[in-house]
Amino acid sequence: MKKFLMVIAVLALFFTFPFSGSAKRVKFITIGTGGVTGVYYPTGGAICRMVNKKSKEYHIKCTVESTAGSVYNINAVMSGDLDFGICQSDRQYQAYYGLKEWKGHPQKNLRAIFAIHPESVTLIATDKSGIWSLKDLKGKRVAIGNPGSGQLGNSRDALWLAGLDEKKDIKAFYIKAVEAAEALQNDRIDAYFYTVGHPNGSIKEATAGRIKVHIVPIPNVEPLLKKFPYYAKTYIPKKFYPNLTNKEDMIPTFGVKATFVTRADMPDDVVYAIVKEVFDNLETFKKLHPAYAVLTKKNMLEGLSAPIHPGAMKYYKEHGLDKYLKR
Ligand code: GLU
């Protein structure tokens, strides 16, 4: 009996302190991304890959979650359901200052870490729909983004630019981008908006079917740039999608940046570890997706509007990068 109790006691001790000595408890972190055919999902994977390589050193295990997109990610990070999130720079700005979906509820505990790839407002339409400019959306079946996505706001701004009313002038669909490519090829919609980095799986899928499609150029965006500080003029290279029927090599539109965020109470050492692994190994990171080709340490600190998380700031100061943080 005595022996039996001893064994129980030893086992109990083992299960209470499974890693004896100096071993630290592993911290599990989750990054909120987007649909699996977007660029956020592989981006979450790329960030996790960089830190998971050093799991033993940092005691961090990073995983990703596919989500509804930017707005969902910000809200889930703020509520504690997610630890980190990827979100559009315009959404970061709106959340921090209490605009649009956050009207009257500024998210003052939102913290910026770094910016990632540029994202373009991408309007893709079937050739037979006759949609060759924003104005042609009138009367058409258009997927403008699911609730929780970043693009829903950008599509609305594009409609505003064209003087179109979401309720009266178009037949709006609120399906996820991950479903939109198939809906386009099945002739259930005429066009869809997706704010996304290029190349991506969604536009590849949309151009791979029987129905001929093109990206609609959005050339005259000056009124938008004047009204909203977070938009920039961008171009989508046709070369990523050889099946597009577009004639031009660079299709004009407007866009934002993908950014990486967390909340103020995230431990500094966890944020520091992620920033260190991504920035120390930026050339390796950049190889993980073609949309990262343009990344530099400088432009990864541009387009952030929430305060920088102190764990990230520590790294930027140590490496003299904080001078790039234009506020
Ligand atoms: N920009 C999109 C959003 O915020 C997601 C794009 C992506 O998943 O790459 O919802």
Side-chain angles (χ1 to χ4, degrees):
M1 186 64 181
K2 246 188 189 163
K3 232 185 196 168
F4 177 71
L5 283 178
M6 274 286 277
V7 171
I8 298 280
V10 169
L11 279 178
L13 261 175
F14 180 76
F15 282 112
T16 327
F17 306 103
F19 316 104
S20 60
S22 62
K24 257 176 79 181
R25 186 169 286 179
V26 175
K27 183 164 172 56
F28 288 89
I29 55 169
T30 307
I31 303 178
T33 60
V36 295
T37 53
V39 182
Y40 286 9
Y41 188 70
T43 296
I47 295 171
C48 278
R49 193 174 156 148
M50 304 306 291
V51 269
N52 285 344
K53 274 188 193 165
K54 299 265 183 80
S55 267
K56 287 222 175 71
E57 186 179 319
Y58 295 128
H59 309 284
I60 296 172
K61 259 248 156 305
C62 178
T63 53
V64 299
E65 197 173 298
S66 168
T67 73
S70 287
V71 173
Y72 175 92
N73 292 342
I74 292 174
N75 292 337
V77 163
M78 297 315 298
S79 71
D81 286 344
L82 288 172
D83 304 302
F84 294 88
I86 304 176
C87 71
Q88 293 176 196
S89 49
D90 54 332
R91 296 321 209 147
Q92 184 185 135
Y93 179 96
Q94 293 159 2
Y96 187 71
Y97 291 108
L99 307 167
K100 303 266 176 165
E101 274 90 335
W102 299 273
K103 201 167 168 86
H105 305 280
Q107 304 297 306
K108 289 295 171 201
N109 287 328
L110 185 64
R111 291 294 175 270
I113 304 176
F114 49 72
I116 327 170
H117 58 279
E119 299 190 86
S120 290
V121 177
T122 308
L123 172 61
I124 182 160
T126 63
D127 288 9
K128 64 177 184 169
S129 69
I131 302 168
W132 301 103
S133 75
L134 277 180
K135 287 210 178 333
D136 298 332
L137 289 174
K138 197 169 166 110
K140 304 291 181 192
R141 301 166 300 169
V142 192
I144 63 171
N146 55 296
S149 73
Q151 52 267 12
L152 187 51
N154 309 128
S155 322
R156 286 176 170 151
D157 290 341
L159 291 174
W160 170 83
L161 184 67
L164 293 174
D165 186 296
E166 170 183 343
K167 303 249 156 55
K168 287 189 225 131
D169 293 328
I170 61 167
K171 185 157 181 0
F173 286 68
Y174 301 89
I175 55 174
K176 287 184 173 176
V178 73
E179 294 152 25
E182 200 189 340
L184 192 71
Q185 280 297 334
N186 286 344
D187 202 17
R188 284 188 285 123
I189 54 173
D190 297 304
Y192 70 91
F193 279 98
Y194 194 13
T195 305
V196 66
H198 292 279
N200 64 76
S202 173
I203 304 298
K204 279 188 184 161
E205 187 186 339
T207 56
R210 190 177 42 85
I211 295 183
K212 296 225 171 313
V213 300
H214 60 276
I215 292 177
V216 180
I218 307 177
N220 301 314
V221 293
E222 285 68 25
L224 267 186
L225 308 193
K226 247 198 209 146
K227 192 165 177 208
F228 302 108
Y230 36 70
Y231 284 140
K233 211 170 167 41
T234 64
Y235 293 86
I236 302 165
K238 175 185 143 90
K239 67 162 194 265
F240 288 136
Y241 315 102
N243 293 339
L244 283 173
T245 62
N246 291 73
K247 296 265 175 320
E248 61 276 63
D249 293 332
M250 295 296 256
I251 307 155
T253 181
F254 63 104
V256 291
K257 265 184 176 195
T259 70
F260 188 51
V261 298
T262 189
R263 57 180 179 277
D265 68 3
M266 187 55 58
D268 290 4
D269 58 336
V270 175
V271 179
Y272 181 87
I274 297 176
V275 173
K276 179 170 168 54
E277 287 318 307
V278 171
F279 276 67
D280 277 2
N281 306 294
L282 190 57
E283 290 314 308
T284 310
F285 179 81
K286 283 172 67 171
K287 292 202 184 88
L288 298 179
H289 198 288
Y292 309 152
V294 293
L295 296 187
T296 62
K297 288 183 182 170
K298 179 171 183 280
N299 66 28
M300 287 177 79
L301 297 187
E302 293 165 358
L304 305 168
S305 15
I308 305 298
H309 189 284
M313 192 56 114
K314 180 172 173 238
Y315 182 91
Y316 301 146
K317 287 206 166 131
E318 279 173 5
H319 292 80
L321 298 169
D322 51 316
K323 60 173 181 280
Y324 298 136
L325 289 163
K326 277 187 244 122
R327 304 255 99 197

